[in-house]
Amino acid sequence: QKPKKEKGAFADSYPLCPFAGANKHLSGVLLDKHGEFMHYFAPGEEDVLPLRTWMEAAGLDLDNVTDVTKQRKKQEDVTFRFKGVALMLTIEYTNRGNASFWAALAGQPPPLSYTISVQHLAETNFAHRQVLTQSKTASGSTQRTVQTRSGVFIKIQIAGKAGRFSWVAVMNELVLKLGLITLLSTVLDIVWVYVLPLLGRDYTPHIYQTFSRQVLAPADKPKTE
């Protein structure tokens, strides 16, 4: 009997879709805000990095002054550490340029790889306020103890393109291109023969060779023995 696969072992098995996979089994790179290389994720390595690294990829630091205009007007030295910040992580998958020409002809899809880029969402912060206690004083006013937590809000966006070699697509493109070339040749012939002579430019003698057919009389025909 064949051993049964566990439900959680899908990432370690061969998926039904050739473009499916987990980041742990793929190779990837982390880019900074200028598109330069920062870190390489080898296959089998989890894409887990310290928060400082993700902030550096966005060109930020927790001790930088916040860019929220309303908060900067109240206090000039308010930093992301106390008011929070929002980041956008874009994970882009692709398999272009990862396989040889002969492997593509054999129908083997190239392996996937991914690229992570981090962007700062301007004029945004991330904080959560929670009322811990609430009581009334002797004068009748309400007294509250409020706790404010600030942090880093990370939004993940997934994009990318993946493809595989297809003979059907190649034949469709080939037939379409050959048809366009034939149509273009026909149009050029019509323009050279009928349109350009009307404009005073006759290219017919340069393109076509004219000759006259001479009909031989019966007496002039060569005799065959």
Side-chain angles (χ1 to χ4, degrees):
Q1 297 180 356
K2 296 182 179 180
K4 296 182 179 180
K5 294 183 179 180
E6 300 179 0
K7 294 182 179 180
F10 174 76
D12 299 328
S13 61
Y14 293 96
L16 298 178
C17 179
F19 307 119
N23 285 11
K24 184 178 179 180
H25 304 283
L26 307 177
S27 61
V29 294
L30 173 65
L31 305 178
D32 61 5
K33 67 175 184 178
H34 302 292
E36 301 294 335
F37 170 82
M38 280 192 62
H39 184 81
Y40 173 73
F41 301 101
E45 177 185 358
E46 296 183 354
D47 47 1
V48 178
L49 296 174
L51 178 60
R52 180 182 298 273
T53 304
W54 297 112
M55 295 287 293
E56 291 177 355
L60 301 176
D61 188 272
L62 288 177
D63 295 326
N64 291 345
V65 178
T66 179
D67 61 340
V68 179
T69 307
K70 295 181 180 179
Q71 296 176 355
R72 294 185 63 179
K73 289 182 178 179
K74 296 180 181 179
Q75 189 176 358
E76 295 262 339
D77 58 348
V78 178
T79 61
F80 292 121
R81 188 181 298 276
F82 297 99
K83 291 301 179 179
V85 64
L87 302 178
M88 169 74 78
L89 264 71
T90 302
I91 306 177
E92 185 175 358
Y93 295 90
T94 183
N95 66 345
R96 298 185 176 183
N98 297 334
S100 63
F101 174 75
W102 301 110
L105 288 180
Q108 300 177 1
L112 285 170
S113 61
Y114 64 93
T115 302
I116 301 179
S117 58
V118 187
Q119 295 179 349
H120 171 223
L121 300 180
E123 295 286 339
T124 56
N125 56 6
F126 181 70
H128 176 70
R129 299 183 63 187
Q130 181 181 4
V131 179
L132 300 180
T133 60
Q134 180 175 347
S135 60
K136 290 187 177 182
T137 61
S139 60
S141 59
T142 302
Q143 182 178 2
R144 296 178 181 177
T145 303
V146 181
Q147 185 181 53
T148 303
R149 303 185 183 94
S150 59
V152 180
F153 177 76
I154 299 178
K155 185 176 182 180
I156 300 177
Q157 175 179 332
I158 299 177
K161 293 181 180 180
R164 62 186 305 176
F165 182 81
S166 173
W167 283 107
V168 176
V170 171
M171 296 305 298
N172 289 337
E173 289 293 327
L174 184 62
V175 171
L176 177 61
K177 297 301 187 296
L178 291 178
L180 291 177
I181 292 175
T182 304
L183 178 61
L184 178 61
S185 178
T186 304
V187 172
L188 289 178
D189 289 341
I190 294 175
V191 172
W192 286 336
V193 176
Y194 299 102
V195 178
L196 292 181
L198 299 178
L199 302 177
R201 294 182 177 273
D202 189 5
Y203 292 98
T204 303
H206 302 282
I207 301 174
Y208 300 99
Q209 181 180 4
T210 58
F211 63 94
S212 59
R213 182 180 178 183
Q214 182 179 3
V215 180
L216 298 177
D220 298 334
K221 290 184 178 180
K223 297 181 181 182
T224 57
E225 295 180 357

